[in-house]
Amino acid sequence: MRKLALAVLTALAVAGCSTGSGQVDVNNGGEFRFVQGTPSGGVIAEDERQSAPEFSGTLLDGGDWSSDELAGDIAVLNVWASWCAPCRVESPEFERVHQDLRDDGVQFLGLNVKDQQQLAQAFVADKGLTFPSLYDPASEVALAFRDFPTRAIPSTIVLDRQQRVAAVFTAAVSEDDLRSTLDQLLAEG
């Protein structure tokens, strides 16, 4: 019995934030699925960056928000959910970086997907997050980034000051990796 329990726990740990077949179906006709990711990242060369799509939505607290609010700043967009274990680890690290760099022209925005609003709000309160998060239960905002590999939860997209995609991480991001990426973008001027 112990071996069976250990095998089940191991299988769940390997699955990360995925379920069943390794995919969580988003209710949009099956066009977009969140799957367990693998780390990637690194700053994309300036001449190879693509413009980020424009998007808008409703914040977890109910206010309206538009990507126009990011104009001129570096932006860290983090796709997360309250049920995602790696999200619990990286969110306090994101908050520390946010606190350190918010006066340097770096904005953070969470994209809460496939979640219940009450659970997402409790997550934000529990982790002490002060940066805003869009409530995106149907993943409509996340779908705007379908041209970029952000199909894992968590995923993080970093935009440069011209609102071009400068880095993409398809797994939890360490604080050191995030700071390194942002330092490179801040140095671009």
Side-chain angles (χ1 to χ4, degrees):
M1 191 62 151
R2 273 193 180 146
K3 288 182 181 180
L4 177 61
L6 182 59
V8 169
L9 288 174
T10 301
L12 289 173
V14 169
C17 288
S18 304
T19 62
S21 66
Q23 299 181 348
V24 177
D25 205 354
V26 175
N27 188 16
N28 67 351
E31 290 181 29
F32 188 77
R33 300 178 191 279
F34 287 113
V35 298
Q36 181 178 356
T38 55
S40 64
V43 176
I44 299 167
E46 285 188 69
D47 61 346
E48 296 177 16
R49 295 179 190 165
Q50 297 178 23
S51 293
E54 292 183 14
F55 61 97
S56 61
T58 302
L59 296 168
L60 274 173
D61 67 8
D64 292 333
W65 192 92
S66 168
S67 59
D68 293 340
E69 296 182 38
L70 301 174
D73 287 341
I74 294 168
V76 178
L77 311 176
N78 179 246
V79 180
W80 67 276
S82 65
W83 44 262
C84 168
C87 300
R88 292 184 198 118
V89 174
E90 75 178 2
S91 60
E93 295 178 357
F94 277 37
E95 179 62 25
R96 281 193 295 273
V97 177
H98 165 66
Q99 291 296 326
D100 290 348
L101 298 179
R102 66 182 177 186
D103 294 333
D104 296 331
V106 178
Q107 292 191 50
F108 280 67
L109 177 69
L111 304 174
N112 174 254
V113 297
K114 298 301 290 176
D115 216 342
Q116 295 177 19
Q117 191 166 8
Q118 182 179 3
L119 295 175
Q121 289 170 328
F123 180 93
V124 167
D126 180 60
K127 298 300 178 188
L129 303 180
T130 60
F131 56 86
S133 279
L134 291 178
Y135 180 57
D136 189 25
S139 306
E140 293 169 358
V141 173
L143 282 170
F145 288 91
R146 72 176 58 179
D147 292 339
F148 305 97
T150 59
R151 296 170 36 148
I153 300 174
S155 287
T156 301
I157 301 170
V158 182
L159 306 179
D160 66 14
R161 284 184 161 80
Q162 290 76 40
Q163 302 308 290
R164 299 174 300 178
V165 175
V168 178
F169 297 89
T170 57
V173 181
S174 73
E175 184 173 346
D176 289 342
D177 288 344
L178 182 58
R179 285 184 187 275
S180 175
T181 298
L182 293 173
D183 286 346
Q184 289 180 54
L185 294 174
L186 286 166
E188 289 179 359

